[in-house]
Amino acid sequence: MPDGWTVVGNGLPGPESVEDGRRTFRWFEDKPLVTYASTVAIDRFTVHRGKTAAGTPVITTYSPDAEIDPAAEAEQTEILDFLTTKFGPYPFSSAGAIVVGTEKGPTDEPGALETQSRHPTYHNMISDGSMVHENAHQWFGDSISFKDWRDGCVAECFAQYA
């Protein structure tokens, strides 16, 4: 990867290496991963790092055209801390989000998609309703595979409840 570019994936970042002017990024997810919850994002990200109250690393990345909102980023950690009081310890080795751009989806509304441990990918800025819903998937939705997409309520109904 050329200078200035960053790769973000599930789990925790591993060692980077440079050979012939190209940087290689490694990410490690230490829990089983259902394929639909895997992610990779490549951009000229701004990367912010923090921790939950329990010490879980929180890695939030912003694409160049994404709005960086420190209050929303702090709220993300507060929501993760709150969810641990309701559902138990956070189940993965890292938390955070990927915030990509200011473009809206086909419904002209900001969108969000849960991924395991790299957590929600958001279009536009993070909102508290989306943060609760998408992060709730980390406890129940991202630890199961569906036999059929009609089984999606197992994950989506729980996240909606949260």
Side-chain angles (χ1 to χ4, degrees), residues 8-61:
V8 180
N10 300 87
L12 288 168
E16 296 176 17
S17 60
V18 178
E19 185 175 323
D20 296 328
R22 299 287 183 177
R23 180 175 296 129
T24 299
F25 293 84
R26 291 171 181 83
W27 286 81
F28 298 98
E29 175 53 59
D30 57 357
K31 303 281 184 179
L33 175 68
V34 296
T35 55
Y36 72 85
S38 64
T39 192
V40 63
I42 304 168
D43 207 334
R44 294 178 182 271
F45 288 115
T46 298
V47 180
H48 291 185
R49 297 174 190 275
K51 291 187 178 199
T52 65
T56 301
V58 179
I59 303 165
T60 304
T61 60

Coordinates of all heavy atoms in Angstrom, one line a residue, residues 8-61:
V8 N -8.0 -1.2 7.1 CA -8.6 -1.5 8.4 C -9.4 -2.8 8.2 O -10.1 -3.0 7.2 CB -9.6 -0.4 8.8 CG1 -10.3 -0.7 10.1 CG2 -8.9 0.9 8.9
G9 N -9.3 -3.7 9.2 CA -10.0 -5.0 9.1 C -10.6 -5.4 10.5 O -10.6 -4.6 11.4
N10 N -11.0 -6.6 10.6 CA -11.6 -7.1 11.8 C -10.4 -7.4 12.9 O -9.3 -7.7 12.5 CB -12.3 -8.4 11.6 CG -13.4 -8.3 10.6 OD1 -13.2 -8.5 9.4 ND2 -14.6 -8.1 11.1
G11 N -10.8 -7.1 14.1 CA -9.8 -7.5 15.2 C -8.9 -6.4 15.5 O -9.2 -5.2 15.5
L12 N -7.7 -6.8 15.8 CA -6.6 -5.8 16.2 C -5.6 -5.7 15.1 O -5.3 -6.7 14.5 CB -5.9 -6.3 17.5 CG -6.8 -6.2 18.8 CD1 -6.1 -7.0 19.9 CD2 -6.9 -4.7 19.1
P13 N -5.0 -4.6 15.0 CA -3.9 -4.4 14.0 C -2.7 -5.2 14.4 O -2.3 -5.3 15.6 CB -3.6 -2.9 14.0 CG -4.1 -2.4 15.3 CD -5.2 -3.3 15.7
G14 N -2.0 -5.9 13.5 CA -0.8 -6.6 13.7 C 0.4 -5.8 13.2 O 0.2 -4.6 12.8
P15 N 1.5 -6.4 13.0 CA 2.7 -5.7 12.6 C 2.6 -5.3 11.1 O 2.0 -6.1 10.3 CB 3.8 -6.7 12.8 CG 3.2 -8.0 12.9 CD 1.8 -7.8 13.4
E16 N 3.0 -4.1 10.8 CA 3.1 -3.7 9.4 C 4.5 -4.0 8.9 O 5.5 -3.9 9.6 CB 2.8 -2.2 9.3 CG 1.4 -1.8 9.7 CD 1.1 -0.3 9.6 OE1 1.9 0.4 9.0 OE2 0.2 0.1 10.3
S17 N 4.6 -4.2 7.6 CA 5.9 -4.4 7.0 C 6.0 -3.6 5.7 O 5.0 -3.3 5.1 CB 6.2 -5.9 6.7 OG 5.3 -6.4 5.8
V18 N 7.2 -3.2 5.3 CA 7.4 -2.4 4.1 C 8.5 -3.2 3.3 O 9.5 -3.5 3.8 CB 7.9 -1.0 4.4 CG1 8.2 -0.2 3.1 CG2 6.9 -0.3 5.2
E19 N 8.1 -3.4 2.0 CA 9.1 -4.1 1.1 C 8.9 -3.4 -0.3 O 7.8 -3.3 -0.8 CB 8.8 -5.6 1.0 CG 9.8 -6.3 0.2 CD 9.6 -7.8 0.2 OE1 9.2 -8.4 1.2 OE2 9.8 -8.4 -0.9
D20 N 10.0 -3.0 -0.9 CA 10.0 -2.4 -2.2 C 9.0 -1.2 -2.2 O 8.3 -0.9 -3.2 CB 9.6 -3.4 -3.3 CG 10.6 -4.5 -3.5 OD1 11.8 -4.2 -3.3 OD2 10.1 -5.6 -3.8
G21 N 9.0 -0.4 -1.1 CA 8.2 0.8 -1.0 C 6.7 0.5 -0.8 O 5.9 1.5 -0.8
R22 N 6.3 -0.7 -0.6 CA 4.9 -1.1 -0.4 C 4.7 -1.5 1.1 O 5.4 -2.4 1.6 CB 4.4 -2.2 -1.3 CG 4.5 -1.8 -2.7 CD 3.4 -0.9 -3.1 NE 3.5 -0.6 -4.5 CZ 2.6 0.1 -5.1 NH1 1.6 0.7 -4.5 NH2 2.7 0.3 -6.4
R23 N 3.7 -1.0 1.7 CA 3.4 -1.3 3.1 C 2.3 -2.4 3.1 O 1.4 -2.4 2.4 CB 2.9 -0.1 3.9 CG 2.5 -0.4 5.3 CD 2.1 0.8 6.1 NE 3.3 1.7 6.2 CZ 3.2 3.0 5.9 NH1 2.1 3.5 5.5 NH2 4.3 3.7 5.9
T24 N 2.5 -3.4 4.0 CA 1.6 -4.5 4.2 C 1.0 -4.4 5.6 O 1.7 -4.2 6.5 CB 2.2 -5.9 4.0 OG1 2.8 -6.0 2.7 CG2 1.3 -7.0 4.3
F25 N -0.4 -4.4 5.6 CA -1.1 -4.3 6.9 C -1.6 -5.6 7.3 O -2.0 -6.4 6.4 CB -2.3 -3.3 6.8 CG -1.9 -1.9 6.5 CD1 -1.6 -1.4 5.2 CD2 -1.8 -1.0 7.6 CE1 -1.3 -0.1 5.0 CE2 -1.5 0.3 7.4 CZ -1.2 0.8 6.1
R26 N -1.6 -6.0 8.6 CA -2.1 -7.2 9.0 C -3.1 -6.9 10.2 O -2.8 -6.1 11.0 CB -1.0 -8.1 9.6 CG -0.1 -8.6 8.5 CD 1.2 -9.3 9.1 NE 2.0 -9.7 8.0 CZ 2.9 -9.0 7.4 NH1 3.1 -7.7 7.7 NH2 3.7 -9.5 6.4
W27 N -4.2 -7.6 10.1 CA -5.2 -7.5 11.2 C -5.5 -8.9 11.7 O -5.6 -9.9 10.9 CB -6.5 -6.9 10.7 CG -6.3 -5.4 10.5 CD1 -5.7 -4.8 9.4 CD2 -6.7 -4.4 11.4 NE1 -5.7 -3.4 9.6 CE2 -6.3 -3.1 10.8 CE3 -7.3 -4.4 12.6 CZ2 -6.5 -1.9 11.4 CZ3 -7.6 -3.2 13.2 CH2 -7.2 -2.0 12.6
F28 N -5.8 -9.1 13.0 CA -6.0 -10.4 13.5 C -7.3 -10.4 14.4 O -7.4 -9.6 15.3 CB -4.8 -10.8 14.5 CG -3.5 -10.9 13.7 CD1 -2.6 -9.9 13.7 CD2 -3.2 -12.1 13.0 CE1 -1.4 -10.0 13.0 CE2 -2.0 -12.2 12.3 CZ -1.1 -11.1 12.3
E29 N -8.2 -11.3 14.0 CA -9.4 -11.5 14.8 C -9.2 -12.8 15.5 O -9.0 -13.9 14.9 CB -10.6 -11.5 13.9 CG -11.9 -11.9 14.5 CD -12.2 -11.0 15.8 OE1 -12.3 -9.8 15.6 OE2 -12.3 -11.6 16.9
D30 N -9.3 -12.8 16.8 CA -9.0 -14.0 17.6 C -10.2 -14.8 18.0 O -10.1 -15.8 18.7 CB -8.2 -13.6 18.9 CG -9.0 -12.6 19.8 OD1 -10.1 -12.2 19.4 OD2 -8.5 -12.3 20.8
K31 N -11.4 -14.4 17.4 CA -12.6 -15.2 17.7 C -13.1 -15.7 16.3 O -12.8 -15.2 15.3 CB -13.7 -14.3 18.3 CG -13.3 -13.7 19.6 CD -13.4 -14.6 20.7 CE -13.1 -13.8 22.0 NZ -13.1 -14.4 23.2
P32 N -13.9 -16.8 16.3 CA -14.5 -17.3 15.1 C -15.3 -16.1 14.4 O -15.9 -15.3 15.1 CB -15.5 -18.4 15.5 CG -14.9 -18.9 16.8 CD -14.3 -17.6 17.5
L33 N -15.3 -16.1 13.1 CA -15.8 -15.0 12.3 C -16.7 -15.5 11.2 O -16.3 -16.3 10.4 CB -14.6 -14.2 11.7 CG -15.0 -13.1 10.7 CD1 -15.6 -11.9 11.5 CD2 -13.7 -12.6 10.1
V34 N -18.0 -15.2 11.3 CA -18.9 -15.5 10.2 C -18.6 -14.6 9.0 O -18.2 -13.5 9.2 CB -20.4 -15.4 10.6 CG1 -20.8 -16.3 11.8 CG2 -20.7 -13.9 11.0
T35 N -18.7 -15.2 7.8 CA -18.2 -14.5 6.6 C -18.9 -13.2 6.4 O -18.3 -12.2 6.0 CB -18.3 -15.4 5.4 OG1 -19.7 -15.8 5.3 CG2 -17.4 -16.6 5.5
Y36 N -20.2 -13.1 6.7 CA -20.9 -11.8 6.4 C -20.5 -10.7 7.4 O -20.9 -9.6 7.1 CB -22.5 -12.0 6.4 CG -23.1 -12.3 7.8 CD1 -23.4 -11.2 8.6 CD2 -23.3 -13.5 8.3 CE1 -24.0 -11.4 9.8 CE2 -23.9 -13.7 9.5 CZ -24.2 -12.6 10.3 OH -24.7 -12.8 11.5
A37 N -19.8 -11.0 8.4 CA -19.4 -10.0 9.4 C -17.9 -9.6 9.2 O -17.4 -8.9 10.0 CB -19.7 -10.5 10.8
S38 N -17.3 -10.1 8.1 CA -15.9 -9.8 7.9 C -15.9 -8.4 7.1 O -16.8 -8.1 6.5 CB -15.2 -10.9 7.1 OG -15.8 -11.0 5.8
T39 N -14.8 -7.7 7.3 CA -14.6 -6.4 6.6 C -13.2 -6.1 6.3 O -12.3 -6.6 7.0 CB -15.3 -5.3 7.5 OG1 -15.4 -4.1 6.6 CG2 -14.4 -5.0 8.7
V40 N -13.0 -5.3 5.3 CA -11.7 -4.7 5.0 C -12.1 -3.3 4.4 O -13.0 -3.2 3.6 CB -10.8 -5.5 4.1 CG1 -11.5 -5.7 2.7 CG2 -9.5 -4.9 4.0
A41 N -11.4 -2.3 4.8 CA -11.6 -1.0 4.2 C -10.2 -0.4 4.0 O -9.3 -0.5 4.8 CB -12.4 -0.1 5.2
I42 N -10.1 0.3 2.8 CA -8.9 0.9 2.4 C -9.1 2.3 2.0 O -10.0 2.6 1.2 CB -8.3 0.1 1.2 CG1 -8.1 -1.4 1.6 CG2 -6.9 0.8 0.8 CD1 -7.8 -2.2 0.4
D43 N -8.4 3.3 2.6 CA -8.6 4.7 2.3 C -7.4 5.4 3.0 O -6.6 4.9 3.6 CB -9.9 5.2 2.9 CG -10.5 6.4 2.1 OD1 -9.7 7.1 1.4 OD2 -11.7 6.5 2.0
R44 N -7.5 6.7 2.8 CA -6.5 7.6 3.5 C -7.1 8.0 4.9 O -7.4 9.2 5.1 CB -6.2 8.8 2.7 CG -5.5 8.5 1.4 CD -5.3 9.7 0.5 NE -4.6 9.4 -0.7 CZ -3.3 9.3 -0.9 NH1 -2.5 9.6 0.1 NH2 -2.8 9.0 -2.1
F45 N -7.4 7.0 5.7 CA -8.1 7.2 7.0 C -7.3 8.0 8.0 O -6.1 8.0 8.1 CB -8.3 5.8 7.6 CG -9.4 5.0 6.9 CD1 -9.0 3.8 6.3 CD2 -10.7 5.4 6.9 CE1 -10.0 3.0 5.7 CE2 -11.7 4.6 6.3 CZ -11.3 3.4 5.7
T46 N -8.1 8.8 8.8 CA -7.6 9.3 10.0 C -8.0 8.3 11.1 O -9.2 7.9 11.1 CB -8.3 10.7 10.3 OG1 -7.9 11.6 9.2 CG2 -7.9 11.2 11.6
V47 N -7.1 7.9 11.9 CA -7.3 6.8 12.9 C -7.3 7.4 14.3 O -6.3 8.1 14.6 CB -6.3 5.7 12.7 CG1 -6.5 4.6 13.7 CG2 -6.3 5.1 11.3
H48 N -8.3 7.2 15.0 CA -8.4 7.6 16.4 C -8.4 6.3 17.3 O -9.1 5.4 17.0 CB -9.6 8.4 16.7 CG -9.6 9.8 16.1 ND1 -10.6 10.7 16.3 CD2 -8.7 10.4 15.3 CE1 -10.3 11.8 15.6 NE2 -9.2 11.6 15.0
R49 N -7.7 6.4 18.4 CA -7.6 5.2 19.3 C -8.0 5.6 20.7 O -7.6 6.7 21.2 CB -6.2 4.6 19.3 CG -5.7 4.1 18.0 CD -4.3 3.6 18.0 NE -3.8 3.3 16.7 CZ -4.0 2.2 16.1 NH1 -4.6 1.2 16.7 NH2 -3.5 2.0 14.8
G50 N -8.7 4.8 21.4 CA -9.2 5.0 22.7 C -9.3 3.7 23.4 O -8.9 2.6 22.9
K51 N -10.0 3.7 24.6 CA -10.3 2.4 25.3 C -11.6 2.5 26.0 O -12.0 3.6 26.4 CB -9.2 2.1 26.3 CG -7.9 1.8 25.7 CD -6.9 1.3 26.8 CE -5.6 0.9 26.0 NZ -4.8 0.1 26.8
T52 N -12.3 1.4 26.2 CA -13.5 1.4 27.0 C -13.0 1.4 28.5 O -11.8 1.3 28.8 CB -14.3 0.1 26.8 OG1 -13.6 -1.0 27.2 CG2 -14.7 0.0 25.3
A53 N -14.0 1.5 29.4 CA -13.7 1.5 30.8 C -13.0 0.2 31.2 O -12.2 0.2 32.1 CB -15.0 1.7 31.6
A54 N -13.3 -0.9 30.5 CA -12.7 -2.2 30.8 C -11.4 -2.4 30.1 O -10.7 -3.4 30.3 CB -13.7 -3.3 30.4
G55 N -10.9 -1.4 29.3 CA -9.6 -1.5 28.7 C -9.6 -2.0 27.3 O -8.6 -2.2 26.7
T56 N -10.8 -2.3 26.7 CA -10.9 -2.8 25.3 C -10.5 -1.7 24.4 O -11.0 -0.6 24.5 CB -12.3 -3.2 25.0 OG1 -12.7 -4.3 25.9 CG2 -12.4 -3.7 23.5
P57 N -9.5 -1.9 23.5 CA -9.1 -0.9 22.5 C -10.3 -0.5 21.6 O -11.0 -1.4 21.2 CB -8.0 -1.6 21.7 CG -7.5 -2.7 22.5 CD -8.7 -3.1 23.3
V58 N -10.5 0.8 21.4 CA -11.5 1.3 20.5 C -10.8 2.0 19.4 O -10.1 3.0 19.6 CB -12.4 2.3 21.2 CG1 -13.5 2.9 20.3 CG2 -13.1 1.6 22.4
I59 N -10.9 1.5 18.2 CA -10.2 2.0 17.0 C -11.3 2.6 16.0 O -12.1 1.8 15.5 CB -9.4 1.0 16.3 CG1 -8.4 0.4 17.3 CG2 -8.6 1.5 15.1 CD1 -7.7 -0.9 16.8
T60 N -11.3 3.9 15.8 CA -12.3 4.5 15.0 C -11.6 5.2 13.8 O -10.6 6.0 14.1 CB -13.2 5.5 15.7 OG1 -13.8 4.8 16.8 CG2 -14.2 6.1 14.9
T61 N -12.0 4.9 12.6 CA -11.3 5.4 11.4 C -12.3 6.3 10.6 O -13.5 6.0 10.6 CB -10.7 4.3 10.5 OG1 -11.8 3.5 10.1 CG2 -9.7 3.5 11.3

